[in-house]
């Protein structure tokens, strides 16, 4: 599995019952993209069923997927094999045997083996954190995602 580069940092909020879940090493003055969301802790473990995601990070992720999936070799090849239909971008955190139909990020229409431009359809039920952990991108998407996110986390670019 591919996780974010530095790891997740759990910071206690004003209430000891909830924490801010963030990424990167900028925990004192984080940008909105440093914050994945908040959740409750039980025995110092984050609880997926109480996770409330950050709108800024969520928007960044889905804008990235809308832009990058049609350019990614693995998805281009999968569309070619599919021929016609819907190409789902699956969240890799879930076990292959999972029947959790909400653990995909989005779909794209495929016609004649090609991803149809502008056919992005977001899965509104997708959660950044589930009982299987935090979201996990396909390896080819992950590397590009980190490349786009890293300068923002270093404070080199605006969100």
């Amino acid at each position: 599995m591919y996780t974010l580069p530095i790891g997740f940092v759990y910071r206690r909020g004003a209430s000891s019952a909830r924490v801010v879940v963030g990424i990167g090493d900028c925990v004192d003055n984080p940008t909105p993209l440093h914050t994945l969301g908040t959740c409750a802790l039980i025995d110092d473990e984050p609880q997926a069923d109480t996770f409330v995601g950050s709108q800024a990070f969520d928007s960044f992720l889905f804008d990235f997927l809308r832009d990058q999936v049609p350019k990614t070799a693995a998805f281009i090849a999968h569309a070619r094999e599919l021929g016609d239909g819907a190409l789902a971008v699956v969240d890799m955190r879930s076990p292959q045997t999972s029947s959790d139909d909400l653990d995909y990020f989005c779909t794209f229409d495929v016609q004649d083996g090609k991803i149809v431009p502008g056919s992005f359809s977001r899965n509104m039920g997708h959660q950044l954190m589930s009982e299987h952990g935090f979201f996990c991108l396909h390896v080819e998407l992950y590397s590009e995602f980190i490349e786009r996110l890293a300068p923002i986390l270093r404070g080199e670019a605006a969100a």
Side-chain angles (χ1 to χ4, degrees):
M1 290 206 342
Y2 293 87
T3 57
L4 294 175
I6 299 171
F8 293 95
V9 177
Y10 301 96
R11 294 190 319 156
R12 292 193 184 277
S15 165
S16 62
R18 288 190 75 74
V19 293
V20 174
V21 183
I23 55 174
D25 57 0
C26 183
V27 293
D28 293 325
N29 297 302
T31 70
L33 292 180
H34 281 90
T35 302
L36 295 180
T38 63
C39 65
L41 286 180
I42 297 178
D43 296 327
D44 286 330
E45 291 294 321
Q47 302 301 301
D49 60 342
T50 66
F51 184 79
V52 177
S54 157
Q55 186 173 350
F57 188 88
D58 193 68
S59 293
F60 180 84
L61 173 64
F62 282 95
D63 288 347
F64 165 80
L65 292 170
R66 177 185 297 112
D67 176 59
Q68 192 61 36
V69 168
K71 302 174 188 174
T72 303
F75 293 98
I76 293 168
H78 188 64
R80 195 172 320 132
E81 292 171 14
L82 182 62
D84 291 302
L87 174 70
V89 180
V90 177
D91 191 323
M92 305 303 289
R93 68 179 162 202
S94 294
Q96 298 267 336
T97 58
S98 174
S99 63
D100 183 359
D101 62 356
L102 291 180
D103 226 1
Y104 67 95
F105 294 103
C106 56
T107 60
F108 291 85
D109 293 335
V110 174
Q111 288 181 334
D112 299 323
K114 295 182 181 177
I115 297 172
V116 176
S119 66
F120 171 86
S121 178
R122 179 183 173 161
N123 173 10
M124 297 306 288
H126 182 269
Q127 297 293 317
L128 294 176
M129 181 183 186
S130 76
E131 67 273 9
H132 300 295
F134 288 100
F135 73 96
C136 185
L137 295 169
H138 182 278
V139 62
E140 288 184 46
L141 290 173
Y142 171 81
S143 58
E144 181 65 25
F145 184 73
I146 295 307
E147 190 173 310
R148 287 196 197 179
L149 186 60
I152 296 167
L153 295 179
R154 289 192 303 263
E156 296 169 6

